[in-house]
Amino acid sequence: MNYDMPFCEKEFMISEIADAIRKATKRSTAQLHQPVFNGNEWLYLKDCLDSSFVSSVGTYVSEFEKKIAQYTGAVHAIATVNGTAALHLALIVAGVNADEEVLVPSMTFVANANAVSYVNAKPHFIDCSEKNFGIDPILLRAHLEKISEVRNGICINKETGRIIRALVPMHVFGHPCDIIELKEIADEFQIIMIEDAAESLGSFYREKHTGTFGRMGVISFNGNKTITTGGGGVIITNDDEIAESARFLSTTAKEQHPYAYVHTKVGYNYRMPNLNAALGCAQLEELPKILRSKRKLTSEYKNAFSRVKNIQFLDDSNFPDSNFWLQTLLLNENYSQYRDAIIEGCIEAGFQVRPAWSPIHSLPMYSNLPSTKLSNTINLSKRIINLPSGMGLT
Ligand SMILES: *Cc1c(COP(=O)(O)O)cnc(C)c1O
């Protein structure tokens, strides 16, 4: 080999990273997250079609809800058309009103802030922890102590005069955040916690499933999530009244009656169709296998990246109870300027890698809202690269 013209550092990193992905996945190309249908999907879908109950009435919906409740350990599960609708509904049922504030991460998918906007409330952005990318409880507490006070059991933002009604932490890429600490703060400041567990089906925190720590939890079954129903979501909760209210509002607020159409509130057509639930029932049977294969992929990546410089691969020593929905590479400080070149290089090499989301507070419709300093979010979001993570890769 001719060493007179060495690769420059950037090209060297691109080729090392692409090589490590090739080595770990044993493929020449890979998508970010492709679903795999190896179980009873065809069988249940055919059964669903044969029954003619393809829409929001049907046995697969209740079966799917029952199985989600069992798996997560929640008392109730209410299946919805997607995770965003579940978040929207959860905020309504929690009683978030117009012109109130909801504490949300900026390091997240845009659906959190959008759901807050749907109820005409204001997102209030909290910075993330460097350790797990979720809302940092230490920063949150210091911030609330500084800017808020609890009057008559209601948390008021002294700077804006608005009520702070809810907190919506998220388990980023499936990695559990400091959810117990966050729940303690929410309780202390009289704020309702709704967990966005959209990405964390199969992730636990101290042996309790993510999404079961707050008043409600929300999980997504979009095509790129750990298991999929095509499109779909669910609200999980232990509260009977909340469950009833969520179910009622998700089915156009129609009163139970043998034939009459009586609606007593402005409801939503948010219930998951039976076809999607049939797919979900089959996918849920595959979940243990999917989780095992993600663990295996994590250890393949860990080996493959062990000698690559200037990066850190986040493995199970960082996140012992994660579902490893998306495998994550963190560029070292000072290498963020290579991120886009690395992403483009990997895509060119056949591997669909992706950056983290643009921080939500930097999007045009969400600038100029209350927030903590967001330096961790800004810094980390420039350094994260998600790797191909689907179960088909092991
Ligand atoms: C996927 C996702 C959602 C939304 O779920 P959809 O089913 O796509 O509507 C919400 N929040 C987070 C963090 C997500 O990753």
Side-chain angles (χ1 to χ4, degrees):
M1 201 186 255
N2 179 1
Y3 285 102
D4 293 346
M5 286 249 300
F7 275 156
C8 85
E9 191 182 38
K10 184 170 78 181
E11 266 70 44
F12 187 67
M13 269 181 90
I14 295 171
S15 80
E16 275 208 314
I17 291 172
D19 282 347
I21 299 172
R22 200 172 292 117
K23 193 171 149 212
T25 61
K26 301 173 192 75
R27 313 257 158 155
S28 54
T29 67
Q31 307 267 310
L32 184 69
H33 202 290
Q34 232 174 351
V36 172
F37 303 116
N38 279 341
N40 286 319
E41 287 87 353
W42 283 102
L43 191 69
Y44 295 171
L45 281 170
K46 180 170 188 314
D47 179 54
C48 187
L49 290 173
D50 289 342
S51 79
S52 89
F53 286 98
V54 294
S55 201
S56 50
V57 175
T59 52
Y60 283 109
V61 182
S62 10
E63 185 65 20
F64 184 61
E65 291 179 333
K66 200 173 89 193
K67 287 187 164 148
I68 286 288
Q70 264 166 11
Y71 181 78
T72 58
V75 179
H76 303 282
I78 299 95
T80 60
V81 287
N82 58 52
T84 309
L87 275 172
H88 180 199
L89 204 55
L91 292 172
I92 295 170
V93 175
V96 177
N97 298 303
D99 288 322
E100 296 180 347
E101 293 179 10
V102 178
L103 305 170
V104 292
S106 177
M107 172 72 84
T108 184
F109 180 54
V110 72
N112 291 138
N114 283 351
V116 173
S117 302
Y118 299 161
V119 296
N120 297 310
K122 304 264 184 247
H124 179 151
F125 296 106
I126 310 296
D127 203 6
C128 70
S129 131
E130 281 191 284
K131 185 178 70 183
N132 57 37
F133 312 144
I135 285 182
D136 186 328
I138 296 168
L139 284 172
L140 175 64
R141 177 182 291 283
H143 182 62
L144 284 174
E145 278 170 358
K146 185 164 144 237
I147 63 111
S148 81
E149 72 185 3
V150 178
R151 287 185 220 144
N152 304 323
I154 291 169
C155 186
I156 310 281
N157 182 338
K158 290 187 286 187
E159 291 177 352
T160 61
R162 290 190 286 250
I163 293 173
I164 301 177
R165 185 69 72 184
L167 164 70
V168 186
M170 201 277 271
H171 305 283
V172 180
F173 310 139
H175 308 323
C177 67
D178 299 312
I179 198 68
I180 290 181
E181 291 84 346
L182 292 174
K183 178 65 168 51
E184 280 168 9
I185 297 170
D187 287 347
E188 194 178 318
F189 286 86
Q190 307 279 336
I191 295 168
I192 300 165
M193 188 168 90
I194 297 167
E195 261 177 283
D196 183 347
E199 305 178 352
S200 59
L201 180 70
S203 301
F204 293 79
Y205 189 94
R206 299 193 197 151
E207 293 174 18
K208 199 164 139 60
H209 197 278
T210 52
T212 62
F213 292 84
R215 181 97 36 106
M216 284 169 264
V218 164
I219 303 172
S220 164
F221 307 107
N222 191 18
N224 62 359
K225 294 298 201 304
T226 300
I227 69 163
T228 185
T229 59
V234 72
I235 295 177
I236 52 177
T237 182
N238 292 339
D239 186 310
D240 299 347
E241 266 173 54
I242 280 191
E244 195 182 329
S245 177
R247 198 178 299 281
F248 180 64
L249 287 175
S250 75
T251 48
T252 66
K254 185 178 173 296
E255 294 291 336
Q256 297 273 358
H257 191 282
Y259 53 85
Y261 297 103
V262 181
H263 307 263
T264 47
K265 275 194 174 161
V266 178
Y268 299 83
N269 186 8
Y270 276 0
R271 190 134 171 92
M272 180 186 280
N274 208 35
L275 259 182
N276 301 80
L279 188 58
C281 285
Q283 282 270 285
L284 209 43
E285 293 170 359
E286 299 296 296
L287 180 59
K289 223 184 287 171
I290 294 172
L291 293 173
R292 278 198 301 278
S293 98
K294 284 176 168 294
R295 281 289 160 147
K296 179 141 189 290
L297 186 58
T298 304
S299 85
E300 301 284 352
Y301 274 131
K302 186 178 174 175
N303 287 336
F305 279 106
S306 61
R307 270 186 287 274
V308 178
K309 289 205 179 61
N310 307 323
I311 57 108
Q312 187 195 353
F313 174 72
L314 302 179
D315 60 47
D316 50 350
S317 65
N318 305 84
F319 304 107
D321 298 314
S322 174
N323 64 2
F324 284 92
W325 170 54
L326 284 188
Q327 311 281 349
T328 307
L329 207 61
L330 195 58
L331 302 176
N332 287 357
E333 300 261 8
N334 308 325
Y335 288 87
S336 61
Q337 81 262 22
Y338 294 165
R339 184 195 70 176
D340 290 350
I342 291 170
I343 290 172
E344 283 158 25
C346 287
I347 291 172
E348 209 167 293
F351 299 109
Q352 194 183 42
V353 303
R354 286 285 181 268
W357 313 275
S358 303
I360 306 304
H361 74 276
S362 71
L363 304 178
M365 62 289 191
Y366 293 123
S367 54
N368 297 319
L369 284 160
S371 75
T372 60
K373 69 162 188 64
L374 293 158
S375 49
N376 288 346
T377 300
I378 292 163
N379 175 296
L380 288 166
S381 69
K382 289 182 191 152
R383 294 163 51 207
I384 288 170
I385 296 177
N386 290 123
L387 305 171
S389 304
M391 91 166 275
L393 300 178
T394 51

